[in-house]
Amino acid sequence: MEALRDVDPAQIGAHALLARLGAGGMGQVYLGRSPGGRLVAVKVIRDEITGHPEALARFRREAETVRAVRSAYTANLIDASLAAAPYWLATEYVAGPTLSHAVRERGRLPADTCRRLFAALAEGLASVHAYGVTHRDLKPQNVILGAQGPQLIDFGIARGVGETALTQEGQAPGTPGYTAPEVLLGAEAGAAADVFALGATLAYAATGRPPFGTGMAATVSYRAVHEPIDVAGVEPGLSALIEACVAKDPAVRPDPAEVIRQCGVRDALIDDPVYLGLGVLGEAVPVHEMRTQGPGHPYVPTDPDRGPQAAREPRPRPRRGARVGAGVAVAAVLSLAAWKLLPFDGGGSGGSGGTGGAVRDGVDKGGATSAPPAAQGGRTPAATGSKGAAGPPAEYIDNNQISRYVWTGATDPDLAVQGVGQCNQPAEEKSPGAGFQSAVSTTGVNGKPGRSASVKMRIKYAEMAQSAPDPYYVSVAVKSPHDIEPSTGKPFPADNRAVGYTSKPVDIYTHWKSGGDVTLTYPDDFTMHAAGRTWPAVPLSADPGDWTVVFYHVEDDPTKYASIACSGFRVG
């Protein structure tokens, strides 16, 4: 939950808006108050997709499904406007975290708690199925842990008997890792597919890990179809029930009633101390503190990111390693960003020099800054480096984010091998000091991939500081053009959206006195950390093409990191 912004309306329909609850692919979700004082969740469809008939049909289906399903395990529909923009619906507000958020914050749940949650969710599915509706997107992000028990949310792709599918041709409904194999292979999503998703959801709760690992959607879906679910370390009886629910053959999966029977619960879920400790009673709603605008602000159509005032208002800096409240993912489209190329020594900065690779200056995205710190307002690395001094860094960064960075090399092959090119989007936060610089390159013979790549980075003018700047830890991520199956090291024919293979975080001011650079070698200094496991970096020869290099500022948690620069190099 976060405060309203100036671009947010003060009221939707008859409901006063109090705070932001989260955002999804279709719209923004607000906490609202009905005229009679009842708290509601108001979902407003994004203005830019209101012209898409399929999106509107999906939104209307969600409203009609929620209206039809009157269950203790779903939030009831309070009000809706589906005839003209702005399109919105309001449901009961259920306080509490999503299962995804709770596990991410508190860790995996004990077996007894999982059984009680398993049984409650199975009962919820049975209730929904009794209305002739299949959810089709059950996952930890769509389960709210409320004070009376779990609630199923987001019926955007739910489907009743005899209804027509709304998904695009060739695209399976649901979420990779939770979508049943038969659906991925083209069959209809029936009640058994919801049971598969239920089993996968409980696997996540019991392990704290994605049920079929991480990676590109195609990679995860391949595992769901062909490989066993990850239940390592789960109590045998519970793991056996999970495995039964995710059987590849839908005909042999238990129905929700059988799941409830096998859970064998004797106590109410809300009497479970672990469940209560997850924050299921919700957070207080400080209405007088949440509002950031005066009453009566009219509804104004907005763009996906900042709305009509985006051109004249500065965009707020993203939180490092930000996680969206209530477990709702936010998808943002970012524009192309060009990087200024300059010599690695900055034209006589006293650095150790480089190998002729391209350099990115993180202070001025439009060009090089050759003036010393005193000429830039007197800010020295000692002053600007302080934001990295939150505490000891994490030992690694977790490959738990989607990385949309893609580096494209120069048309001249020789320049591309040296790292001359550009990334498709800007960094998330500014780099420290008087200019973060990096150089990447690889060497090859007769057009063949080199065996290694060199990655160098430093802070320009760091040696001019009077005393050692506060530590600022950076981890470098190197990712191949295509998604790599970690167990085989072989690429899939799909773009790589993983963070990639990463280096151990290092203080960028390590050589502040000499002005020297930090040098890393791929693959020797890189590994992948994901789903509680570690894999060695694949050789460059595994996937010829344009490789992307992203520099991340790392805090004291493996999941808290944000990009400060992007580069790359060409293999082959």
Side-chain angles (χ1 to χ4, degrees):
M1 187 180 299
E2 63 180 75
L4 291 173
R5 302 174 186 174
D6 289 340
V7 296
D8 292 326
Q11 187 163 321
I12 290 289
H15 308 286
L17 301 188
L18 308 177
R20 284 182 164 217
L21 293 177
M26 291 184 64
Q28 179 72 43
V29 184
Y30 298 99
L31 175 67
R33 184 182 63 241
S34 72
R38 186 177 189 177
L39 291 179
V40 295
V42 183
K43 184 173 183 178
V44 183
I45 194 169
R46 291 185 183 277
D47 186 65
E48 74 277 7
I49 65 173
T50 57
H52 293 268
E54 182 175 313
L56 285 176
R58 175 174 169 175
F59 191 73
R60 288 177 173 132
R61 169 175 287 179
E62 179 175 7
E64 293 307 317
T65 301
V66 175
R67 190 193 307 274
V69 177
R70 310 292 292 184
S71 168
Y73 297 93
T74 61
N76 292 325
L77 185 71
I78 303 299
D79 196 2
S81 176
L82 307 174
Y87 301 95
W88 56 270
L89 61 85
T91 64
E92 292 176 304
Y93 170 65
V94 181
T98 63
L99 177 59
S100 174
H101 180 82
V103 172
R104 187 170 63 245
E105 293 294 317
R106 309 295 180 93
R108 65 178 188 170
L109 306 182
D112 286 346
T113 303
C114 283
R115 283 191 178 87
R116 295 186 180 102
L117 182 60
F118 217 156
L121 287 174
E123 191 171 55
L125 275 185
S127 176
V128 170
H129 291 170
Y131 286 88
V133 172
T134 52
H135 189 285
R136 303 209 307 169
D137 199 20
L138 176 61
K139 56 186 176 182
Q141 296 93 322
N142 285 343
V143 175
I144 293 181
L145 305 180
Q148 301 302 316
Q151 296 273 306
L152 301 176
I153 63 171
D154 198 349
F155 284 82
I157 61 173
R159 188 171 171 191
V161 175
E163 289 184 326
T164 303
L166 293 179
T167 52
Q168 296 178 359
E169 184 177 355
Q171 178 182 344
T175 301
Y178 300 91
T179 303
E182 68 272 17
V183 178
L184 294 170
L185 296 175
E188 291 294 331
D194 279 351
V195 172
F196 179 95
L198 174 64
T201 296
L202 264 294
Y204 172 80
T207 65
R209 302 184 296 269
F212 291 96
T214 60
M216 281 294 297
T219 305
V220 176
S221 295
Y222 176 89
R223 297 191 196 113
V225 173
H226 299 287
E227 297 180 6
I229 195 168
D230 175 14
V231 286
V234 178
E235 186 269 329
L238 179 60
S239 65
L241 181 54
I242 290 173
E243 289 171 329
C245 288
V246 299
K248 307 303 182 188
D249 181 358
V252 301
R253 295 175 200 151
D255 61 19
E258 178 61 18
V259 171
I260 296 171
R261 188 191 69 78
Q262 291 193 36
C263 286
V265 297
R266 296 292 182 269
D267 302 306
L269 178 61
I270 58 173
D271 291 333
D272 187 305
V274 174
Y275 182 78
L276 290 176
L278 297 176
V280 301
L281 298 180
E283 58 180 308
V285 183
V287 176
H288 61 287
E289 297 177 5
M290 297 302 291
R291 176 157 292 286
T292 60
Q293 59 188 29
H297 185 75
Y299 176 85
V300 179
T302 63
D303 72 18
D305 295 323
R306 290 286 293 154
Q309 301 180 6
R312 59 182 184 271
E313 290 186 3
R315 182 184 299 273
R317 194 181 92 181
R319 291 175 294 164
R320 292 190 292 271
R323 299 292 179 269
V324 180
V328 183
V330 179
V333 180
L334 300 179
S335 61
L336 187 70
W339 298 87
K340 181 72 175 179
L341 305 181
L342 59 151
F344 192 76
D345 62 5
S349 67
S352 60
T355 60
V359 179
R360 281 81 190 152
D361 189 321
V363 172
D364 184 357
K365 298 299 189 297
T369 302
S370 57
Q376 301 176 49
R379 297 189 68 196
T380 66
T384 56
S386 62
K387 65 180 178 179
E395 288 296 311
Y396 59 90
I397 65 175
D398 197 351
N399 200 330
N400 68 331
Q401 296 185 15
I402 294 176
S403 172
R404 293 182 172 84
Y405 287 97
V406 176
W407 179 86
T408 303
T411 54
D412 185 328
D414 293 334
L415 293 177
V417 169
Q418 296 176 27
V420 177
Q422 63 183 22
C423 277
N424 65 325
Q425 65 182 50
E428 295 172 304
E429 66 177 42
K430 288 185 177 180
S431 57
F436 175 85
Q437 294 183 331
S438 65
V440 297
S441 64
T442 182
T443 56
V445 179
N446 296 327
K448 295 182 179 180
R451 292 187 176 182
S452 64
S454 173
V455 181
K456 296 187 178 184
M457 56 183 175
R458 67 173 183 148
I459 296 296
K460 188 178 181 181
Y461 303 120
E463 70 275 14
M464 298 183 66
Q466 299 300 313
S467 59
D470 291 329
Y472 186 96
Y473 294 96
V474 176
S475 176
V476 181
V478 176
K479 68 174 187 173
S480 52
H482 302 98
D483 193 32
I484 299 290
E485 169 55 52
S487 61
T488 65
K490 302 294 184 181
F492 277 88
D495 293 338
N496 192 348
R497 295 294 181 89
V499 171
Y501 300 95
T502 58
S503 67
K504 183 176 180 179
V506 61
D507 179 13
I508 195 64
Y509 293 110
T510 297
H511 305 299
W512 70 278
K513 280 189 175 182
S514 64
D517 51 83
V518 176
T519 302
L520 300 168
T521 301
Y522 182 92
D524 299 353
D525 299 325
F526 291 80
T527 53
M528 178 183 288
H529 300 270
R533 299 176 60 186
T534 301
W535 289 272
V538 298
L540 296 177
S541 58
D543 194 19
D546 287 345
W547 288 55
T548 302
V549 179
V550 184
F551 300 82
Y552 289 100
H553 173 207
V554 186
E555 298 189 34
D556 55 357
D557 184 306
T559 65
K560 293 181 179 179
Y561 53 94
S563 62
I564 59 173
C566 175
S567 187
F569 57 90
R570 180 167 294 169
V571 173

